[in-house]
Amino acid sequence: VQDFYPTPGTLSTCMYYTGIDPRTMKKVHVPGREEKAMQRALLQYRKPENRDLVEKALRLASRADLIGYGAGCLVRPKRGEGHTGGSTRGFPLSDVRRGESRGTIGRPSKSERTASDVRPKRTDVRPKRRRF
């Protein structure tokens, strides 16, 4: 996404202001303020202040599958939306019942992990200093 700054006397500025390509006389899509804001919010989806714009942009693009608690989701649904059965602190009860903490949602449980998921132990760690 790149923001356009009109430069006087250029073909692109003519297209920006009229919405028509003067060479072919066909309409050209020119995004408005809200669409530009949604594009920028999608690039900065981790910022809490962009949450509503990101959700709106995903729904307009028919990508509501990216709203949720999974590992590939961009934003979480608002409290009370997107899941049934209640929640605890905004998380689905199924995750809380399994005893998973906040940082493990979307990750495989210990019984589901494969050899590639497990981090090897470090052997180059120095022993801790003793305080007397």
Side-chain angles (χ1 to χ4, degrees), residues 8-109:
T10 62
L11 185 63
S12 56
T13 301
C14 176
M15 293 167 65
Y16 177 75
Y17 282 109
T18 62
I20 298 173
D21 183 352
R23 298 170 295 182
T24 61
M25 298 309 285
K26 291 184 180 177
K27 279 193 152 196
V28 177
H29 175 71
V30 179
R33 282 183 186 245
E34 187 175 25
E35 189 175 348
K36 283 183 182 182
M38 285 190 289
Q39 291 173 1
R40 183 171 285 122
L42 282 170
L43 289 174
Q44 302 170 347
Y45 67 91
R46 291 179 190 255
K47 287 187 170 182
E49 61 267 19
N50 290 338
R51 193 215 167 284
D52 292 333
L53 279 174
V54 170
E55 185 175 349
K56 183 176 181 178
L58 292 173
R59 291 192 191 281
L60 284 173
S62 301
R63 291 302 311 262
D65 59 310
L66 296 175
I67 303 170
Y69 296 98
C73 294
L74 297 180
V75 293
R76 294 183 174 180
K78 289 182 180 176
R79 287 181 182 241
E81 294 180 8
H83 54 81
T84 58
S87 67
T88 302
R89 288 205 240 155
F91 300 103
L93 278 177
S94 59
D95 293 333
V96 175
R97 285 187 189 132
R98 285 195 304 251
E100 294 182 2
S101 66
R102 180 179 198 159
T104 61
I105 293 178
R107 296 183 188 159
S109 66

